Amino acid sequence: MTSSLLASQPFVKHEKYSSIAPLVEVHRGGLVEAVHYGAIAVVGAQGSLVAHAGDPDLTAYLRSSAKPFQLLPLVESGGADRFGFDDKELAVMAASHSGEPRHVATVRGILDKISLDEDALQCGAHWPLSEESARTLREAGREPTPIYNNCSGKHAGMLAQCAARGLSTHDYLDPRHAIQIAILDTLAALCDVDSSAIGVGIDGCSAPCFAMPLRACALAFARLADPSGLPEPRRSAIRRVVRAMMAYPERVGGEGRLDTDLMRAAPGRLVCKGGAEGYHGIGVVKGGLGIAIKIVDGNGQRAGGPAAIEALRQMGILDGDEVESLRKYYRPAVRNHRGLEVGEVRPVFELVYG
Amino acid sequence: MTSSLLASQPFVKHEKYSSIAPLVEVHRGGLVEAVHYGAIAVVGAQGSLVAHAGDPDLTAYLRSSAKPFQLLPLVESGGADRFGFDDKELAVMAASHSGEPRHVATVRGILDKISLDEDALQCGAHWPLSEESARTLREAGREPTPIYNNCSGKHAGMLAQCAARGLSTHDYLDPRHAIQIAILDTLAALCDVDSSAIGVGIDGCSAPCFAMPLRACALAFARLADPSGLPEPRRSAIRRVVRAMMAYPERVGGEGRLDTDLMRAAPGRLVCKGGAEGYHGIGVVKGGLGIAIKIVDGNGQRAGGPAAIEALRQMGILDGDEVESLRKYYRPAVRNHRGLEVGEVRPVFELVYG
C-alpha cells in the first residue's frame, strides 16, 4: 500500500492562502500519520532574504517571540539602570518561563525593585509549565497566581517601564498606553515596516500581540543578533538584552524547554524565542542572520523543535554533534502509554536559497 | 494590511502528498492565526462517494475510530451473549472514555464477568481525561492504573473475545493473535479492502491500529449506520453495537466530550467515534451514510468538532438548532488566561458533491 497521506494527486491550490511547505512529518509504523505545514524566512541584518521554505511573506502573530522587543524600551530609556536590573532579571523579562522557583523569585525581585506587588500583574494565571512546580503547588493545596504565568516576567518588565517613566500602571495593557505605543514603534522600526502595517491582537496574557510577514520578523531577529548598524541607544540596549538572554538561557525558558537548550547548545551564538501557535524567532550572531518560523496549524510544541533545528542544521549553524545533542527536540520518538516507541517526528523540508 | 496567512501566492504543489483542503481556521483579532488542513469522505452504504473535501483517498490511521469494529468479533461469535454483556458494557467496549467513575465501574464489571482482574489489561496507564476523576485520584495520593486508560473498555472487550474462544490472554495484543486477525478481517470486509492492504501500526494503548483511505473507512461507518445489506451474524452484531453506543453515548466518551454530545444532539440518528491525531468516523442512520475525517496535523482536539459538525450541517443531517446546541464544539471561542474572548475557531470548507 502507499504510505499514509501520500497519493498521486497534487495539492489543491488555495488561492486565498500563502504558500506553505510540509515542514515536519509524524511517523507511526511505516506510515506518515500527520504533517505540520508552515513557512520559514531567513534574513540578513541588512534585510536581504537569504533562504526560505514556503512563503517568506506569510503573515502571523509573533506571540511570545516578540518578548525581547517588548523589553527594549525599558532598557533604551534608562529604566534598567535606574532600577539596577541585572542580567537574570532582564532574561526573565524576555522569557516564557516555566514557573520554576528561580523564575518566580526573579519576578518577585523585579516587582520589589519597582515597589509593586503581584496584584499589579494583569497576565492572568495558569498552572506553571514546570510539572514539578505544578505538583508543588498542588500538594500545598494552592492554586497558581499570576506570577506563575509564563509571561509574568514580561509583565513585570512592562510595569517597570511604567514606573521608570512615571506612567499609570492600572492600564498598562491598553494598546493606547504610552509603553505599548513605544513597544509597537520599536518593533516596527526593527522590522522596517510602518507600525500601522502591524496587525494587533490580544495575547494569551492579555498584552497586545503583533502580526507581520515572517520576513519582517526575521529582520528584527537578525538585528538582535547583529545590531551594529543601528543607532544608539538602541544598539547598546539590544546588546544588553541579548547578552542577558544568552548568559541565562534557563531564565528564558526552563529545564527541558527548547529555547533554553538551543541557547545552551550554541552558547553565545544564538538568541532564541519561541511563541505560541507554532511561532519561532532565532537570531544567529555569526553572519547576523534572523530566522522566523510559523507552523500554520499552531503546534509548535511538536513541530517547532524539528523545524528550528533542521533550519539551523541546513544553514550550517549547528554541526552534527550539536544537532545530536538536541535529538529529543530534533527527531523525538513517539511513545505510547506503555513507553513503547511507536513512531518518530522528523523534519522534511529543504530551504531554498537566494 | 492583509489578513494573516493570506497572500497573493497560490499554494505550492507537493506532488508527494494527497490533496488536502483548509478545513478549520483559528482567528485572533481580525487575523487568521492558524489553519487546520485535512480531507473528508462521505460514502453511501453501497460504496458510492457522495461528497468530499480534499482527497477522499487520503490514507490515515483510524486510531480509536476503529473501536466499534474491534468489538464486532466478540458479538458475532456469541461471546456477548455467553457472558451476558449489557448495552452499557458494550458501549464502554467501543469507547474512548474519560475515566469517570461510571466508566471504571463498567470496565470492572466486564472483567468480573470474564474472571480476570485489572492486571490483565495491557493498555498502559494515563491520567483520566475527566478532570474531576484526575483530581479525585490526585487528592487520594493515587496514580492512575490501566483501568483509567480511555481504551480500557476496548481492552476488556478484547480479553472477553479471548475468554469466549478459550484463547490465551497474555499475548492478546500481538497482531498474530487470533482475535487480532479476526478484528483485521472484520474491518477489511466492512471497508471492502483486502486485509493485506490495511496498514498496521501500534496504537497509544499498544493494540494494533489500522490505516486505509478515508473512503474505505467511511464505507465501514455507512455499514454501521445501515447494515441491512450484510449477512448474518454480522448484521445483528452491528445493530447491537450501534444500539448500545446510541443508547449510552456517555459511556462512549464522557461529559463534555464531542462524541457523547453529538450522539445526544441527534439521538438514534448518529453513531460517532473519534480517534487520536485528528481522525473522526460518523455513521448516519438516515440514508445510510458514512463520514470519515482526517485533520492532517493531528489536532482533532481543536479542529475535529468544527469539521465534523460543519460536514453534518452541510449534508442537512443536523439542523440549525442542533448546530447551535453544539456551538461550543462547532465555533468555540478562543479565550486567554483571564477568560477574555480573543478569537474564534471556525470551519471554512465546502463539501464537493458527486
Side-chain angles (χ1 to χ4, degrees):
Chain A
M1 68 172 287
T2 57
S3 289
S4 179
L5 298 182
L6 311 187
S8 57
Q9 292 186 38
F11 257 55
V12 176
K13 287 188 182 187
H14 304 292
E15 303 291 344
K16 179 182 164 198
Y17 294 88
S18 292
S19 152
I20 52 173
L23 297 183
V24 174
E25 289 179 348
V26 181
H27 290 246
R28 177 179 294 268
L31 307 182
V32 178
E33 176 154 48
V35 183
H36 297 285
Y37 292 81
I40 300 174
V42 185
V43 169
Q46 312 307 318
S48 60
L49 184 69
V50 175
H52 66 102
D55 181 4
D57 287 313
L58 181 141
T59 292
Y61 286 109
L62 276 63
R63 306 293 302 274
S64 287
S65 293
K67 280 173 175 166
F69 311 109
Q70 288 168 306
L71 171 57
L72 279 178
L74 171 69
V75 182
E76 285 185 21
S77 64
D81 287 330
R82 173 165 164 196
F83 292 112
F85 293 130
D86 62 24
D87 281 356
K88 288 182 190 176
E89 290 166 329
L90 292 175
V92 93
M93 289 180 195
S96 299
H97 65 72
S98 295
E100 298 167 7
R102 56 187 169 187
H103 299 133
V104 174
T106 305
V107 177
R108 279 224 176 84
I110 296 166
L111 291 171
D112 285 348
K113 285 183 177 175
I114 59 174
S115 305
L116 287 174
D117 59 25
E118 273 194 58
D119 295 344
L121 297 170
Q122 295 181 22
C123 46
H126 63 71
W127 286 94
L129 303 179
S130 158
E131 283 180 30
E132 201 177 323
S133 294
R135 193 167 47 242
T136 303
L137 278 179
R138 236 184 247 113
E139 289 176 358
R142 292 170 54 199
E143 294 281 322
T145 55
I147 206 163
Y148 290 92
N149 186 309
N150 76 88
C151 302
S152 68
K154 176 179 78 175
H155 283 252
M158 287 176 172
L159 289 165
Q161 288 186 44
C162 298
R165 296 172 62 187
L167 300 169
S168 60
T169 56
H170 70 279
D171 57 348
Y172 75 101
L173 295 180
D174 187 326
R176 294 160 301 185
H177 190 287
I179 68 152
Q180 297 299 344
I181 291 170
I183 286 169
L184 178 61
D185 287 347
T186 301
L187 181 60
L190 286 169
C191 296
D192 267 357
V193 297
D194 194 89
S195 59
S196 66
I198 293 180
V200 179
I202 304 171
D203 213 324
C205 67
S206 300
C209 64
F210 310 107
M212 66 186 70
L214 287 176
R215 185 200 296 250
C217 174
L219 174 58
F221 270 89
R223 287 168 163 174
L224 271 193
D226 176 10
S228 60
L230 301 176
E232 290 291 6
R234 182 148 297 163
R235 192 194 322 155
S236 294
I238 286 178
R239 288 202 167 121
R240 187 162 169 189
V241 166
V242 169
R243 184 188 67 202
M245 292 174 72
M246 286 177 170
Y248 296 98
E250 77 284 357
R251 289 298 194 284
V252 178
E255 292 312 317
R257 298 278 305 282
L258 176 62
D259 280 325
T260 296
D261 285 337
L262 260 179
M263 288 192 278
R264 281 174 173 165
R269 291 156 48 203
L270 298 178
V271 56
C272 308
K273 190 66 202 73
E277 292 288 344
Y279 209 93
H280 220 101
I282 302 172
V284 182
V285 172
K286 190 176 176 185
L289 296 174
I291 303 174
I293 301 172
K294 171 70 180 181
I295 310 295
V296 292
D297 60 67
N299 194 348
Q301 194 60 32
R302 183 156 79 175
I309 295 165
E310 177 65 6
L312 292 166
R313 189 194 68 77
Q314 288 187 30
M315 299 291 299
I317 296 158
L318 292 179
D319 67 25
D321 288 347
E322 289 162 345
V323 169
E324 190 54 35
S325 77
L326 293 163
R327 189 172 182 89
K328 72 171 181 168
Y329 301 103
Y330 179 53
R331 286 180 72 145
V334 175
R335 292 186 185 278
N336 75 4
H337 296 305
R338 282 164 75 198
L340 293 176
E341 186 169 331
V342 293
E344 189 188 55
V345 182
R346 62 174 84 138
V348 292
F349 64 93
E350 284 188 36
L351 290 172
V352 178
Y353 292 88
Chain B
M1 70 173 283
T2 57
S3 291
S4 175
L5 300 183
L6 310 188
S8 58
Q9 292 186 37
F11 258 55
V12 175
K13 286 188 183 186
H14 304 293
E15 304 291 343
K16 179 182 161 198
Y17 293 90
S18 291
S19 151
I20 52 173
L23 296 183
V24 175
E25 290 179 350
V26 181
H27 290 246
R28 178 178 295 268
L31 308 182
V32 177
E33 175 153 49
V35 182
H36 297 285
Y37 293 82
I40 301 175
V42 185
V43 169
Q46 311 308 318
S48 59
L49 184 69
V50 175
H52 66 101
D55 181 3
D57 287 313
L58 181 140
T59 292
Y61 286 109
L62 277 64
R63 306 294 301 275
S64 288
S65 294
K67 281 174 175 167
F69 311 109
Q70 290 168 306
L71 171 57
L72 280 178
L74 171 68
V75 182
E76 285 185 20
S77 65
D81 287 329
R82 174 168 162 191
F83 292 113
F85 292 131
D86 62 24
D87 281 357
K88 287 182 189 174
E89 289 165 331
L90 292 175
V92 94
M93 289 180 195
S96 298
H97 66 71
S98 294
E100 299 168 7
R102 57 186 168 187
H103 299 132
V104 174
T106 304
V107 177
R108 279 223 176 85
I110 296 166
L111 292 171
D112 284 347
K113 285 184 176 175
I114 60 174
S115 305
L116 287 173
D117 60 26
E118 274 194 58
D119 295 344
L121 297 169
Q122 296 182 20
C123 46
H126 62 72
W127 286 94
L129 303 178
S130 157
E131 283 180 31
E132 201 178 322
S133 293
R135 190 165 52 241
T136 302
L137 278 179
R138 235 185 248 112
E139 289 176 358
R142 292 170 54 200
E143 294 280 324
T145 55
I147 206 163
Y148 290 92
N149 186 309
N150 76 89
C151 302
S152 67
K154 176 180 77 174
H155 283 251
M158 288 176 172
L159 289 165
Q161 289 186 45
C162 298
R165 296 174 60 187
L167 300 168
S168 61
T169 56
H170 70 279
D171 57 348
Y172 75 101
L173 296 179
D174 188 324
R176 294 160 300 183
H177 191 287
I179 68 153
Q180 297 299 342
I181 291 171
I183 287 169
L184 178 60
D185 288 345
T186 302
L187 182 59
L190 286 170
C191 296
D192 267 357
V193 298
D194 194 89
S195 60
S196 66
I198 294 181
V200 178
I202 303 171
D203 213 325
C205 66
S206 299
C209 63
F210 310 107
M212 66 186 72
L214 288 177
R215 187 200 296 249
C217 174
L219 174 58
F221 270 89
R223 287 168 163 175
L224 271 192
D226 176 10
S228 59
L230 301 176
E232 290 292 4
R234 182 148 297 161
R235 191 195 320 156
S236 293
I238 287 179
R239 288 205 166 119
R240 186 165 170 187
V241 167
V242 168
R243 184 188 67 201
M245 292 173 72
M246 286 178 170
Y248 297 98
E250 77 284 357
R251 288 298 192 287
V252 177
E255 294 309 318
R257 298 279 304 285
L258 176 61
D259 280 325
T260 297
D261 285 337
L262 260 179
M263 288 193 277
R264 282 174 172 163
R269 290 157 47 204
L270 298 178
V271 56
C272 308
K273 191 66 205 70
E277 292 289 342
Y279 209 93
H280 220 101
I282 302 173
V284 182
V285 173
K286 191 176 173 183
L289 296 174
I291 304 173
I293 301 171
K294 171 70 179 182
I295 310 295
V296 292
D297 60 68
N299 194 347
Q301 194 61 31
R302 184 155 79 174
I309 296 165
E310 177 65 4
L312 292 167
R313 189 194 69 76
Q314 288 187 29
M315 299 290 300
I317 295 159
L318 292 178
D319 68 24
D321 287 348
E322 289 162 345
V323 169
E324 190 55 35
S325 77
L326 294 163
R327 191 173 181 88
K328 74 170 180 169
Y329 300 103
Y330 180 53
R331 287 180 70 145
V334 176
R335 293 186 185 279
N336 75 5
H337 296 307
R338 282 165 74 199
L340 293 176
E341 185 169 332
V342 294
E344 187 187 56
V345 183
R346 62 174 84 137
V348 293
F349 64 92
E350 284 190 34
L351 290 171
V352 178
Y353 292 87

